[in-house]
Each structure stands twice: as C-alpha cells, then as structure tokens.
Amino acid sequence: METLDWKNLPFSYIKTDYNIRCFYKNGKWGNLEISSSEYIDIHIAATGLHYGQEAFEGLKAYMGKDGKIRLFRWEDNAKRMVSSAEGIKMEVFPPEMFREALYKVLHLNRKYVPPYGSGATLYIRPLLYGSGAEVGVKPASEYTFLIFVTPVGPYFKGGMKPVNMLICRDIDRAAPKGTGIYKVGGNYAASMRAIIAAREGGYANTIFLDAKEKKYIDECGPANFFGIKDNTYITPKSESILNSITNMSLIEIAKSLGMTTERRQVPVEELSSFEETGACGTAAIISPIAKIVDPDTDKIYNYCLDGKPGAKTLQLYNKLVAIQNGDEEDPFGWVTIVD
Ligand SMILES: Cc1ncc(COP(=O)(O)O)c(C=O)c1O
C-alpha cells in the first residue's frame, strides 16, 4: 500500500484490500466470504436493481491514542439494517453475523484505519440487496450482504464550519407512512434533484419539510436537524425521517450536560426563535447552520453571526467526538474496542 496522506484524505472512496460478502440462497445465509475484488457479479433481473430492494448502513472506526480500534454504537447500525430489511421485505441479515463481518473486515484492513490525531476515520459501509431474479414486483428469494471500508478525511477540513441550507417545498424525499424511516437507496434517489438544486444555488444542502402539510421540518439532506434555545435541544419527530444514531447520542449528551431535550414536530416559523441550529449524522457529526433560506416566503434565518459554531453546538460536538475517539470516558456504553 502506498502511504496515504492521512491528514489530507478526501471524503470519498479509496480502495482497501478486502471486503466481506455473504449470500442468502435456498432459505439460508451462507458463510462469510472474503473478497479482494471491488466488483460484484449481479443477475440482470435482480430486484435490487429493478425494484429498489436495497438498504445500507454507514458507521466509522476510530483509532484511539492507545492504538486500539473503536466502533461507535455498531449494534444500532445492525438493528437499523434489520428494520430497513423488514421495511422493504428483504431477508434480514442477523446482527450476530453483522458483528462477525464487521470485525473481519476491520481485521483484514487494519492498516487502513487512519492514525489517531489525523482527523481521518475508517468509514464502514454495509450493504444488503435483493440479488435473486424476479420480473414481477415481489421480494427476491436470494439476497447479498456485503461490507466494505474506505478511509475518509474529516468532513470539514480545518475544523467545523457553519453552512447554509435551503428549504425545499417542491420536492419530497419521503412520504409519511412511506420508506423515509428506513435507510434504503430509493430515499436517496428521491432526494437528489433537491440536493443538486440546493448545491447549484450555493447551499450545502436542502431542508426537507413534512410531505403532507409542508409545515414542519423533516430532515437536512442526509442528516437530522436540531435547534437549540433556552438550554433546550429540540429535534423533529416525524414518521418520514431516519432515526439518526448521532442524533440519539446528542440527545443523551445534551441531557448529561444539563440541557432539556424535546423530540417533537418543529414548525418552520420556530426557526426564528432558535439560538443555534445544526444538521447531524455520522459523516460530519454536526454541521452547524449559519443561514436557512426559505425561498417561498423570502425569510432568512441567521445563526452564527460571528461565523463560528454556537457554544452549545460546540460543546455537544466536542463531547461526542471525544467519546468516539476514546479521549474521554464513555459513560453511555457506546464504544466497542475491536481487538
Ligand atoms: C437520511 C439520513 N438522515 C440522517 C442520517 C444520520 O444518521 P446517523 O447519525 O445514524 O449517521 C443519515 C445518515 O446516515 C441519513 O442518510
């Protein structure tokens, strides 16, 4: 392996040595298989290709100061993948096999876990899809699970920077009672037009509103939204958003820091009363929001007027990152050391 420039890694795919695969056929999962190919052979009539029977996960491995690899809440990713599989009628990949695959892929690619202090991490991407051939619309009878890893640089090079967001009313990512609560590819395909339009307008991402009434905040592109005011951490409750593991963790950290927390519908007008707002997810952990523009009402909501993340946002971020990296004790039992 050529030496990677850990401090300047991009947030994009870099080849590693191995990935793990597992196939469901004749009513059962086979053994985990190690592959060094970046490609998969796929049936031309696989349901994953035609009918969107596909779900994925995203988590990271962190190298601690002690030279030990740490995983953050991997059981929640395994459970969410079970829920996604059930949501689109795929065969469930058992969490105990998920763990075995995860450990195996980390051991085999250990040298790609970026060193402590580089700001980089090893991104882990589990994937499950219908690989059996069907022509009619129905669940496949064969499935493929795979897991690959790729080292990624920090989302914000040179530290967290507040970003601008655009509210979107003319495109929906997901409908109530649809698949928004699952991590399935179709939701991401549905969000692309809005995300590209926002980027072309110079925004970091889109804020999707609830698809039914367009009154409440749903998600920030591929991340959950939160607002802070009066020492209270407030985050949307909706039946069309993904339950972010980062957000669940920030809620617990906020409580431990003496903040009140609320998970409830967040009306768009409430944006004017927040002191701080942000988007949260595994990739950036927190993207503080500087400005939210509502093109339909011409309203602009400003935060971070000094160009810096707010004090509470920074406190939440620093605490979570310190736990993930192993710099601070983990009173919540979220971190697993992979030995
Ligand atoms: C649509 C969506 N919402 C929220 C999140 C954040 O979830 P997590 O914190 O589990 O990464 C993600 C990223 O996984 C996402 O794709």
Side-chain angles (χ1 to χ4, degrees):
M1 152 188 170
E2 328 155 20
T3 318
L4 292 170
D5 181 4
W6 300 113
K7 287 215 152 93
N8 294 304
L9 280 183
F11 197 88
S12 53
Y13 178 82
I14 291 174
K15 185 183 186 308
T16 57
D17 291 344
Y18 299 103
N19 55 78
I20 305 293
R21 298 153 186 228
C22 191
F23 302 97
Y24 181 89
K25 280 186 187 155
N26 304 319
K28 58 177 196 305
W29 286 103
N31 295 326
L32 299 182
E33 297 176 18
I34 299 170
S35 171
S36 55
S37 168
E38 291 172 282
Y39 294 90
I40 45 179
D41 223 8
I42 187 161
H43 194 286
I44 52 175
T47 62
L49 292 179
H50 297 261
Y51 302 133
Q53 267 204 309
E54 181 273 342
F56 64 100
E57 271 305 324
L59 63 160
K60 287 173 173 172
Y62 307 80
M63 181 64 80
K65 211 187 267 177
D66 53 8
K68 292 185 179 152
I69 301 173
R70 286 168 168 74
L71 284 169
F72 184 72
R73 301 189 74 164
W74 71 266
E75 298 95 332
D76 289 300
N77 293 95
K79 274 192 232 154
R80 194 166 64 185
M81 189 169 237
V82 168
S83 151
S84 298
E86 289 172 345
I88 57 167
K89 290 288 176 199
M90 296 198 292
E91 190 58 36
V92 161
F93 191 66
E96 61 281 7
M97 288 184 81
F98 186 102
R99 177 192 180 279
E100 203 188 324
L102 189 55
Y103 275 49
K104 205 170 246 196
V105 81
L106 288 173
H107 287 142
L108 290 165
N109 294 294
R110 193 181 173 92
K111 65 185 183 204
Y112 292 98
V113 184
Y116 174 81
S118 62
T121 51
L122 190 72
Y123 184 75
I124 305 164
R125 172 54 63 88
L127 173 72
L128 176 67
Y129 61 89
S131 41
E134 295 294 344
V135 176
V137 179
K138 61 176 177 177
S141 53
E142 294 183 2
Y143 291 87
T144 298
F145 170 85
L146 64 85
I147 184 163
F148 72 79
V149 294
T150 188
V152 291
Y155 202 79
F156 293 110
K157 305 253 181 298
M160 242 203 314
K161 277 188 219 74
V163 298
N164 297 335
M165 298 279 183
L166 182 67
I167 292 181
C168 173
R169 283 195 181 73
D170 52 354
I171 298 169
D172 295 317
R173 168 190 167 272
K177 313 207 187 301
T179 57
I181 53 170
Y182 307 122
K183 201 162 167 67
V184 298
N187 297 336
Y188 296 82
S191 71
M192 299 264 184
R193 275 185 302 147
I195 290 176
I196 295 304
R199 298 237 167 99
E200 283 173 356
Y203 298 89
N205 224 313
T206 297
I207 294 192
F208 290 105
L209 302 184
D210 76 286
K212 192 170 170 191
E213 297 188 80
K214 310 275 181 189
K215 271 194 185 161
Y216 305 102
I217 296 183
D218 242 11
E219 289 207 87
C220 286
N224 277 186
F225 172 87
F226 68 83
I228 296 174
K229 62 179 172 190
D230 306 328
N231 201 33
T232 306
Y233 180 97
I234 301 160
T235 192
K237 181 173 178 174
S238 157
E239 50 182 349
S240 50
I241 65 176
L242 191 75
N243 193 12
S244 154
I245 296 165
T246 314
N247 199 9
M248 279 160 46
S249 311
L250 291 172
I251 291 171
E252 292 309 311
I253 291 175
K255 283 185 195 157
S256 76
L257 295 173
M259 294 174 75
T260 307
T261 64
E262 293 175 9
R263 197 191 269 271
R264 57 160 169 83
Q265 287 184 314
V266 178
V268 180
E269 312 81 66
E270 195 174 355
L271 289 175
S272 61
S273 66
F274 287 128
E275 294 149 16
E276 300 175 33
T277 58
C280 61
T282 297
I285 308 301
I286 293 180
S287 301
I289 302 176
K291 182 165 84 172
I292 300 175
V293 173
D294 187 339
D296 298 294
T297 61
D298 286 333
K299 283 214 172 118
I300 299 180
Y301 305 93
N302 287 300
Y303 313 95
C304 312
L305 290 174
D306 58 358
K308 294 193 199 126
K312 298 256 188 250
T313 300
L314 205 54
Q315 202 183 1
L316 291 167
Y317 173 88
N318 286 340
K319 186 86 187 168
L320 180 51
V321 169
I323 292 174
Q324 289 173 329
N325 287 324
D327 288 341
E328 272 190 35
E329 225 189 292
D330 165 26
F332 305 99
W334 290 333
V335 171
T336 309
I337 292 182
V338 182
D339 35 36

